[in-house]
Amino acid sequence: KQEVTQIPAALSVPEGENLVLNCSFTDSAIYNLQWFRQDPGKGLTSLLLIQSSQREQTSGRLNASLDKSSGRSTLYIAASQPGDSATYLCAASGGYQKVTFGTGTKLQVIP
Amino acid sequence: EPEVTQTPSHQVTQMGQEVILRCVPISNHLYFYWYRQILGQKVEFLVSFYNNEISEKSEIFDDQFSVERPDGSNFTLKIRSTKLEDSAMYFCASSDTPGIPKETQYFGPGTRLLVL
């Protein structure tokens, strides 16, 4: 059974700082790994999807990496802004529809 | 950009009542999903649906739950007799290419269900 863990659970940084969010998963037989953003009381916004054959994906100030062999993914946020404050979730897809989510990292960027 | 929509955004119900949560997936998608998130906990998979039948379901999805695609656009989750522990945010998602590495599930904004 896939288990997805995210560290840290919460993170507070000053504006402008670069930061790294960590995600680990127990079953390396994944199809892809996806990073989502969730604002309080809101739905999930997909940020980046890394296919199992890929090592990283970039979108603007976000860069996500994937190391299947070690069961790890990281989300790098450059030059953080107050608007980046949200909970970030990683989710591993083991193929055929079932996605396993991590517990999330709650990020606060202080102006 | 196409998006998944869900109604209602909030629902309050009494324990033991039936509720139906509605979702309109992205129009050309064929695979549909329900997830739930109890406050402060992980997002959990409930069920996936394709070709008018359930493809996979979790242990959470017991006989109190059912899903249906009553027409060409809606996808519903019914909870037959709600319990206090059913209080959660329920997310619908859809995709067009499951089972391949580039599959992306697109999520709706969620329905917050509160059972009193």
Side-chain angles (χ1 to χ4, degrees):
Chain A
K1 181 183 175 187
Q2 178 74 273
E3 297 285 343
V4 180
T5 306
Q6 291 186 248
I7 295 172
L11 182 62
S12 183
V13 300
E15 182 177 1
E17 193 161 296
N18 302 326
L19 57 102
V20 175
L21 307 181
N22 297 293
C23 171
S24 61
F25 46 95
T26 55
D27 186 351
S28 61
I30 61 170
Y31 272 137
N32 62 53
L33 188 130
Q34 199 162 358
W35 283 92
F36 292 87
R37 171 185 172 135
Q38 185 176 29
D39 292 284
K42 303 288 187 180
L44 304 174
T45 302
S46 179
L47 298 173
L48 289 164
L49 180 143
I50 314 174
Q51 298 176 35
S52 59
S53 59
Q54 298 175 325
R55 298 283 290 182
E56 65 179 322
Q57 281 287 326
T58 298
S59 175
R61 294 183 293 109
L62 305 179
N63 175 276
S65 67
L66 175 65
D67 183 345
K68 275 182 57 178
S69 61
S70 67
R72 291 180 184 176
S73 177
T74 61
L75 178 67
Y76 175 82
I77 303 177
S80 58
Q81 302 170 358
D84 294 331
S85 298
T87 295
Y88 291 81
L89 304 175
C90 72
S93 173
Y96 266 132
Q97 302 146 23
K98 188 173 178 180
V99 177
T100 303
F101 282 82
T103 46
T105 293
K106 186 173 183 179
L107 172 66
Q108 183 181 23
V109 180
I110 303 167
Chain B
E1 185 175 331
E3 59 183 16
V4 176
T5 60
Q6 290 184 243
T7 55
S9 58
H10 294 78
Q11 174 133 17
V12 181
T13 189
Q14 295 291 325
M15 189 170 58
Q17 295 295 305
E18 174 184 287
V19 295
I20 297 176
L21 309 183
R22 290 183 167 78
C23 168
V24 179
I26 294 173
S27 62
N28 63 338
H29 286 183
L30 300 175
Y31 304 86
F32 315 114
Y33 316 86
W34 283 101
Y35 294 81
R36 79 170 186 191
Q37 185 179 32
I38 295 171
L39 188 64
Q41 297 186 23
K42 290 186 181 187
V43 177
E44 301 170 290
F45 169 82
L46 291 178
V47 66
S48 58
F49 190 87
Y50 168 68
N51 200 26
N52 280 322
E53 61 183 29
I54 291 173
S55 305
E56 189 172 352
K57 62 182 180 180
S58 72
E59 57 275 9
I60 302 168
F61 194 88
D62 60 22
D63 292 344
Q64 291 298 314
F65 292 90
S66 62
V67 289
E68 191 179 30
R69 187 150 164 85
D71 53 43
S73 59
N74 289 285
F75 178 52
T76 62
L77 174 69
K78 181 193 289 187
I79 309 175
R80 229 175 304 279
S81 177
T82 49
K83 299 176 245 191
L84 296 177
E85 54 265 38
D86 293 327
S87 295
M89 181 79 100
Y90 288 81
F91 293 107
C92 172
S94 69
S95 72
D96 60 355
T97 53
I100 69 169
K102 63 179 181 178
E103 177 206 6
T104 296
Q105 294 187 16
Y106 294 85
F107 283 76
T111 292
R112 184 168 295 283
L113 175 66
L114 177 60
V115 182
L116 302 176

